[in-house]
């Protein structure tokens, strides 16, 4: 499917974001993450799948019956949550799927956190700034890709 066709379909279809509820959902999340991070960005699989996967709240974004995006929220304790592994199938990028994922997390489970953090790839910083996240500290490398820590307080 072409990018233009995907965007046209997304505009007429509603992005549905929900918590992962089954093994099939977990498989869909991992399939998207492997495609985006391991295949497209050459992140080693042993760095992509980590111990947080067992305890994180996982989210799946779908359009119709198709899984097109995923993200997770890790409870770091003391009112801090960390959004991570935000990934959208290439043909659905720029259609609002990523925004729907982040907005859903902020509005639902993230609302219980006094502080939300994430480690953003440098190119994605403007995307997260739209949701009230602010870059902090210096750039650092994660899986060979430059990142910066970002934070958003509940009052943002």
């Amino acid at each position: 499917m072409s990018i233009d066709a995907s965007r046209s379909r997304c505009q007429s279809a509603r992005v549905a974001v929900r918590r992962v509820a089954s093994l099939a959902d977990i498989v869909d999340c991992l399939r998207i993450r492997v495609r985006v991070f391991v295949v497209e960005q050459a992140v080693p699989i042993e760095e992509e799948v980590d111990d947080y996967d067992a305890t994180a709240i996982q989210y799946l974004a779908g359009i119709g019956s198709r899984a097109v995006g995923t993200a997770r929220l890790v409870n770091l304790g003391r009112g801090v949550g960390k959004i991570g592994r935000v990934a959208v199938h290439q043909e659905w990028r720029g259609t609002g799927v990523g925004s729907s994922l982040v907005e859903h997390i902020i509005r639902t489970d993230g609302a219980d956190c006094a502080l939300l953090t994430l480690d953003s790839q440098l190119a994605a910083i403007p995307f997260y700034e739209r949701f009230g996240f602010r870059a902090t500290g210096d750039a650092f490398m994660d899986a060979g890709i430059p990142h910066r820590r970002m934070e958003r307080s509940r009052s943002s």
Side-chain angles (χ1 to χ4, degrees):
M1 172 180 309
S2 73
I3 292 173
D4 289 337
S6 295
R7 288 185 180 157
S8 176
R9 284 184 53 205
C10 186
Q11 290 170 357
S12 63
R14 185 161 189 239
V15 178
V17 178
R18 60 182 170 77
R19 274 185 173 203
V20 164
S22 69
L23 182 57
D25 288 348
I26 293 169
V27 170
D28 283 339
C29 290
L30 290 173
R31 189 175 289 131
I32 294 166
R33 285 171 45 185
V34 166
R35 181 174 177 184
V36 171
F37 297 121
V38 177
V39 175
E40 293 178 23
Q41 298 181 2
V43 172
I45 187 71
E46 58 273 7
E47 291 184 41
E48 171 51 32
V49 178
D50 62 19
D51 292 339
Y52 287 125
D53 281 322
T55 59
I57 301 170
Q58 307 279 348
Y59 302 89
L60 192 59
I63 296 178
S65 62
R66 183 162 182 207
V68 297
T70 186
R72 73 180 187 187
L73 179 65
V74 176
N75 181 347
L76 298 178
R78 299 184 181 189
V80 179
K82 184 176 183 182
I83 296 174
R85 303 306 199 262
V86 179
V88 176
H89 272 292
Q90 188 173 26
E91 66 264 28
W92 292 95
R93 291 181 199 147
T95 65
V97 173
S99 294
S100 294
L101 280 160
V102 174
E103 288 170 351
H104 181 84
I105 293 169
I106 290 170
R107 197 176 60 248
T108 60
D109 301 299
D112 295 333
C113 300
L115 181 70
L116 285 172
T117 68
L118 57 87
D119 294 337
S120 174
Q121 294 181 11
L122 296 186
I125 288 174
F127 170 78
Y128 292 110
E129 286 176 334
R130 295 191 331 231
F131 304 99
F133 285 91
R134 297 290 169 246
T136 63
D138 295 328
F140 60 93
M141 298 299 284
D142 185 10
I145 302 167
H147 285 71
R148 279 191 72 193
R149 173 75 34 95
M150 298 188 80
E151 296 179 348
R152 178 187 191 279
S153 64
R154 185 181 295 151
S155 60
S156 296

